[in-house]
Amino acid sequence: MENNIMLDQNIELQSEDLEVPFFSLATIVIATNNFSSDNKLGEGGFGLVYKGTLTDGHEIAVKRLSRSSIQGLNEFKNEVILIAKLQHRNLVRLLGYCIEGDETMLIYEYMPNGSLDSFIFDETRAKVLGWSIRFNIICGIARGLLYLHEDSRLRIIHRDLKASNVLLDSKMNPKISDFGMARIFGGDQTEGNTERVVGTYGYMAPEYAIDGLFSVKSDVFSFGILLLEILSGKKNRGFIHPGQSLNLVAHAWNLWKECRPLELLDTCLEDCCIILEFVRCLHISFLCLQQHHEDRPNMSSVVMMLHGESSLPEPKEPASFIGKKLSLSSKKKSASTNEITITLLEAR
């Protein structure tokens, strides 16, 4: 019975105009050497990602949806339709999809340097990302978000921006990936509400995590966290300052208020960092992390601030202090197997 339902859904999805090529299962099996473990690139709440090589020599990345994935058929279709309409140098490019039998897969351009988190949180690999590369990555992510929010044919809220969802090409240029949780806004709509809050603990804006309210400013908050992680080389999630019960945001804010911002700098950047750029980026991150969403800048302002030299407004206390208390809410949570993406099932 379950197979019949899946087959019906697959036929329905294949009949829709998804604007991207269909790849046969046989093609993907050959390209990935039958999903060999040697070709495994990583995994998330959705399932596994494999590297593949087509018969013409083109390298691809295959996102294989697992049966137990929190990303269902609707999210899969959402990702296909969304990415098919998006074209930007800082967004990963969707090459096609495959729906056959009980297999559901997305085929992307292959990013040879993998995800950003595999560099910035690794003591050895972090050295590859000098200051100029990191600043380029920061600016590229900002431009990609600006395109999603304001410059594409659609107004799109990503809702799951994090280091593992930023991929790096052969020249270390960043590309935002994973649009399964993204939402489209129409016309003049600027915010929405959902009873199914999806995202990553440590990156979610407080108004979204607790009340299910999301907007472009939710992504801006996530960008602020990501910016802080790129500057410090430390994860916001799980970071506790020795001797103090502070998370990364609270620790960074204390250093900022005590005029000791350079103590946050990733140690491998000490010899190559442009101090004024670092301090400006840190300042921008705090503007993005302000508790009330209306106080946060939009991404067009962020891009201008990154490339400008004019003085910046004074940030208000970031949401981390309040957010930490809010995260202890009694709301029901369901975490993915790798503790990356969570779903809050009872958001107000």
Side-chain angles (χ1 to χ4, degrees):
M1 181 67 176
E2 181 182 341
N3 286 341
N4 288 338
I5 293 173
M6 176 67 78
L7 185 60
D8 289 343
Q9 288 176 324
N10 288 352
I11 291 171
E12 178 187 346
L13 191 52
Q14 283 182 339
S15 67
E16 296 185 32
D17 181 13
L18 297 182
E19 299 185 26
V20 288
F22 172 80
F23 284 69
S24 70
L25 178 59
T27 298
I28 302 303
V29 167
I30 293 171
T32 60
N33 193 20
N34 198 20
F35 303 104
S36 166
S37 58
D38 293 338
N39 287 335
K40 181 180 167 183
L41 294 173
E43 63 183 301
F46 52 81
L48 299 174
V49 179
Y50 295 88
K51 179 184 178 182
T53 306
L54 299 175
T55 53
D56 63 3
H58 278 89
E59 293 180 319
I60 58 173
V62 179
K63 178 178 174 180
R64 189 185 193 190
L65 195 71
S66 70
R67 291 185 178 184
S68 61
S69 171
I70 61 170
Q71 181 178 351
L73 198 69
N74 284 337
E75 282 93 347
F76 174 87
K77 183 168 68 173
N78 189 47
E79 186 157 8
V80 174
I81 293 171
L82 270 180
I83 303 184
K85 297 177 184 297
L86 301 176
Q87 297 292 331
H88 190 273
R89 61 179 296 188
N90 295 117
L91 302 181
V92 72
R93 189 159 58 96
L94 182 69
L95 302 178
Y97 69 100
C98 172
I99 306 168
E100 198 168 324
D102 57 2
E103 292 284 0
T104 309
M105 294 176 281
L106 291 168
I107 294 86
Y108 290 102
E109 59 177 328
Y110 173 63
M111 294 286 103
N113 282 311
S115 57
L116 177 61
D117 64 323
S118 68
F119 281 90
I120 59 175
F121 302 138
D122 184 283
E123 195 171 319
T124 301
R125 300 188 83 198
K127 297 174 183 176
V128 175
L129 302 186
W131 175 252
S132 62
I133 295 177
R134 291 197 197 203
F135 186 69
N136 180 65
I137 288 171
I138 290 167
C139 294
I141 297 169
R143 286 193 300 268
L145 271 185
L146 172 60
Y147 173 81
L148 291 176
H149 291 176
E150 299 181 31
D151 294 339
S152 71
R153 288 184 289 168
L154 310 165
R155 184 191 298 271
I156 295 169
I157 315 299
H158 188 280
R159 297 204 301 170
D160 200 18
L161 181 69
K162 56 187 176 184
S164 60
N165 281 342
V166 175
L167 304 182
L168 301 171
D169 68 13
S170 59
K171 295 181 180 179
M172 290 297 184
N173 293 308
K175 301 202 178 194
I176 299 171
S177 70
D178 203 336
F179 290 82
M181 304 303 178
R183 290 289 290 269
I184 303 174
F185 277 4
D188 296 327
Q189 185 183 5
T190 57
E191 63 179 39
N193 181 273
T194 180
E195 292 185 356
R196 181 169 177 260
V197 178
V198 292
T200 301
Y201 180 77
Y203 286 91
M204 284 191 286
E207 73 277 3
Y208 178 51
I210 303 309
D211 295 318
L213 296 172
F214 62 92
S215 66
V216 291
K217 299 297 184 71
S218 313
D219 280 352
V220 170
F221 184 92
S222 300
F223 175 79
I225 295 290
L226 182 53
L227 184 46
L228 209 54
E229 291 182 333
I230 294 171
L231 298 175
S232 67
K234 295 179 173 59
K235 296 180 182 180
N236 184 48
R237 176 177 167 80
F239 174 90
I240 299 179
H241 187 265
Q244 303 175 38
S245 57
L246 299 178
N247 63 12
L248 180 61
V249 177
H251 172 58
W253 179 250
N254 280 356
L255 291 176
W256 178 262
K257 297 305 287 183
E258 294 168 7
C259 299
R260 298 186 291 142
L262 293 182
E263 292 183 28
L264 188 73
L265 181 66
D266 192 335
T267 52
C268 69
L269 295 174
E270 290 174 351
D271 295 331
C272 64
C273 183
I274 299 175
I275 303 302
L276 287 178
E277 285 184 348
F278 167 80
V279 173
R280 191 172 183 85
C281 285
L282 184 56
H283 194 152
I284 292 169
S285 76
F286 290 132
L287 292 173
C288 295
L289 294 172
Q290 293 177 105
Q291 178 193 348
H292 299 294
H293 68 89
E294 61 268 20
D295 291 332
R296 301 172 206 147
N298 55 33
M299 288 311 300
S300 58
S301 296
V302 169
V303 170
M304 288 178 64
M305 288 188 288
L306 284 169
H307 294 286
E309 297 180 358
S310 58
S311 59
L312 303 176
E314 196 63 30
K316 298 176 182 177
E317 186 173 290
S320 68
F321 301 100
I322 295 176
K324 196 168 185 182
K325 294 174 185 173
L326 293 178
S327 70
L328 300 178
S329 160
S330 61
K331 298 186 193 305
K332 198 172 180 181
K333 299 179 183 180
S334 139
S336 69
T337 54
N338 61 357
E339 297 186 328
I340 292 297
T341 301
I342 67 169
T343 302
L344 306 184
L345 300 176
E346 299 175 5
R348 290 198 299 262

